[in-house]
């Protein structure tokens, strides 16, 4: 609750960091002190109740600047423009910048770059922008995906017969509260589809499982790393379901190359908050990228060969990718938060 009143994140950085760290300490204490005789049903009730209450507390937390890009890219689609072809500062869009949209446009980052998010995300933005251009609507939808994730995690805990108190690691996680319920980052859409896919494939419902994984990839590309760890001989009949996510690309098929233009720029020319890549750039200069790729494939190969548990292997594989990214914003860690 204190964190929910301190936003945005950078306004009181030291106090925010202290409260954020304290939140994780209290989270660990919550897990350790959960009564061992409580049934899954009882723990799930408390998790859902506290999860909803905690997220409501962050409804008035300032959204990330990314949300204004979500709104803008949905808005221009509804006016007949392709966000993969025209950047926010393109003169073609000058007539669309007026009234409330002028305020939204001012808060967009990287106005010189076209869209980088995958097509499913674009179509979601378009649908929401047709309903309302208010950031609170976008935030409430992201919270909805978050609550779906909690629901699926309850099913996973029940199936794996895991300790039910582990649900708190996600539901009461300060990272999730701040960056989903607070800043409303798109990454939660990918997370929701990923855990649905994991549950479906694990429960021998491979067709809907791989279909959901395809949706995860079409909402943010990084989750494609999970696929090799889930593709087994026993479910090979369902692998093509992932390819059906290609239908989300069709509305933008008139210029398929444009879908990746900004993504390539972000991946090759920009870096932020990176660790391993920063070290390699310092030591190796221009040779850093191929070495980084070799390290990543080496890590993924070791996980594939030596980690038999499917969910744990997906968790470690996604973690390996995060380790090797040139840009690592805190909310990228949402991808592995449910698998804790």
């Amino acid at each position: 609750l204190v964190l929910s009143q301190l936003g945005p994140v950078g306004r009181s950085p030291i106090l925010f960091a202290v409260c954020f760290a304290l939140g994780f300490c209290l989270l660990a204490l919550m897990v350790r002190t959960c009564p061992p005789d409580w049934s899954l049903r009882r723990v799930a009730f408390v998790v859902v109740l506290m999860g909803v209450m905690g997220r409501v507390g962050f409804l008035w937390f300032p959204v990330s600047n990314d949300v204004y890009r979500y709104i803008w890219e949905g808005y221009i689609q509804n006016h007949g423009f392709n966000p993969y072809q025209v950047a926010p500062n393109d003169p073609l869009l000058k007539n669309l910048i007026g009234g409330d949209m002028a305020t939204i446009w001012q808060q967009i980052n990287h106005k010189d770059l076209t869209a980088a998010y995958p097509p499913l995300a674009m179509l979601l933005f378009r649908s929401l922008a047709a309903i309302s251009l208010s950031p609170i609507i976008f935030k409430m939808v992201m919270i909805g995906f978050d609550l779906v994730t909690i629901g699926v995690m309850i099913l996973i805990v029940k199936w794996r017969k895991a300790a039910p108190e582990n649900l708190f690691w996600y539901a009461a996680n300060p990272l999730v509260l701040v960056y989903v319920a607070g800043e409303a980052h798109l990454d939660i859409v990918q997370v929701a589809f990923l855990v649905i896919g994991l549950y479906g494939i694990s429960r021998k419902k491979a067709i809907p499982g791989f279909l959901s994984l395809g949706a995860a990839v079409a909402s943010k590309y990084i989750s494609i790393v999970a696929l090799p760890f889930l593709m087994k001989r026993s479910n090979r009949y369902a692998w093509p379901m992932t390819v059906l996510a290609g239908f989300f690309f069709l509305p933008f098929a008139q210029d398929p190359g444009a879908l990746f233009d900004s993504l390539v720029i972000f991946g090759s020319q920009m870096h932020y908050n990176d660790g391993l890549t920063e070290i390699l750039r310092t030591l190796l200069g221009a040779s850093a990228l191929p070495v980084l790729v070799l390290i990543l494939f080496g890590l993924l190969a070791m996980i594939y060969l030596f980690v038999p548990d499917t969910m744990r292997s997906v968790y470690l594989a996604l973690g390996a990718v995060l380790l090797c990214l040139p840009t690592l914003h805190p909310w990228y860690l949402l991808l592995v938060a449910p698998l804790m």
Side-chain angles (χ1 to χ4, degrees), residues 26 46-47 87 130 132 165 174 201 221 231-232 292 299 319 328 331:
L26 295 174
V46 175
V47 162
S132 172
E165 60 267 24
I201 293 168
Y221 297 119
M231 298 168 79
K232 313 290 184 184
L292 184 68
L299 289 171
L328 184 63
W331 53 89

Side-chain angles (χ1 to χ4, degrees), residues 7 13 29-30 64 84 97 162 167 175 178 183 212 226 230-231 244 272 279 282 303 319 327 330:
L29 187 64
M30 189 183 300
S64 163
Y84 293 115
I97 306 170
L167 290 166
L175 178 85
V178 170
E183 294 198 348
S212 184
L230 296 166
M231 298 168 79
L244 291 180
Y272 172 78
I279 295 170
T282 302
I303 295 165
T327 296

